[in-house]
Amino acid sequence: MEAERGRKTLYSAAQPSGNLTIGNYVGAIRNWVRLQEGNDCFYAIANMHSITVRQEPAELRRRTLEAAALYIACGVDPEKCTLYVQSQVPQHAELTWVLNSLTYVGEMSRMTQFKDKSQKHADNINMGLMDYPVLMAADILLYQVDGVPVGLDQKQHVEIARDIAIRFNNRYGETFRVPEPLILKTGAKIMSLQEPTKKMSKSDENLNASIFFADDKDTIIRKFKRAVTDSGNDIRYSEEKAGVSNLLTIYSVFRDCTVEEAEKEFAGKGYGEFKLAVGETVADKLAPVQAEQKKLLADKAYLAGVLASGAERAFKAARKTLSKVYRKIGFYQGE
């Protein structure tokens, strides 16, 4: 899609790595929906990134469709953006190989996620785990994007993509647009319900720590009732009150109000009433999304068509960039 005057080209991707949490919604999906209005957005289901850790093939295929259905159910509109599966666009892998030749081992070994995942998967420290940021750089640079909406924890990956783009441009001439990280501040980080100083994670061993899209209303309310709060009984946003602050953030996002408005609403009320209100608000917001996802998953032909159409649009844009890269580095492409 050619960017029109005043429009920006943006790229974002998420792995189909299991049941997504409300943290994934607040940190990524909700922003995808907002950004598709007035911008040219490429949204990828990053299944190539998923295989850096061992996957069950049938599960990976199932989760890929579930992710597509969930994004659409949340408001990602395939008519307004390019929604596609990463592995259906081979240029991602092809550009990664070229960029590998400009990326240094030292850079990769210092990446935070490589260190973290190496500790978690000590029996499977593979080259894909180390090369992950180069594939991510290829993802971004293929589409000549202006910006990449990310949370603070992913900023390092955009920075390495910028470094690689600048390095390539300096060596071979202007080829890649150097992207900017678009740091999403408000509500960009939903914390664990059990350890509110840690980010909510779909891989948390404590199931009470995370709210999943698949959770029913009773489960959601039960988890919020068990959420860690703080000593005292005032409901206010403060660094000293991580648990209450996290619940205020969640409530404000799902109620579509400010944290200050939420504080006023619960002034003088107890933690029990507050937790119940947060749980009910989140459950009521998720219910129509869950119903729509279920409906979409029952129509596999529709989902396949949406993803095929998205892959075709992504392929055309990616091929244009890769052809330019091949020409710049001297790869023979025929007469």
Side-chain angles (χ1 to χ4, degrees), residues 234-241 244-245 248 259 263 271:
D234 54 330
I235 298 170
R236 60 183 173 84
Y237 193 96
S238 166
E239 285 186 14
E240 293 79 37
K241 299 175 73 66
V244 169
S245 297
L248 281 168
V259 168
E263 286 177 321
Y271 283 169

Side-chain angles (χ1 to χ4, degrees), residues 183-196:
I183 304 301
L184 307 167
K185 295 183 176 66
T186 306
K189 211 168 188 181
I190 299 297
M191 312 306 281
S192 162
L193 297 185
Q194 294 300 309
E195 296 180 72

Side-chain angles (χ1 to χ4, degrees), residues 19 77-78 101 112 137 158 161 165 237 252 254 256 276 284 287 297 328:
N19 195 1
D77 188 345
S101 66
T112 303
V158 182
Y237 193 96
S252 66
F254 284 87
D256 198 21
L276 178 61
D284 290 346
L297 284 170
K328 287 290 185 75

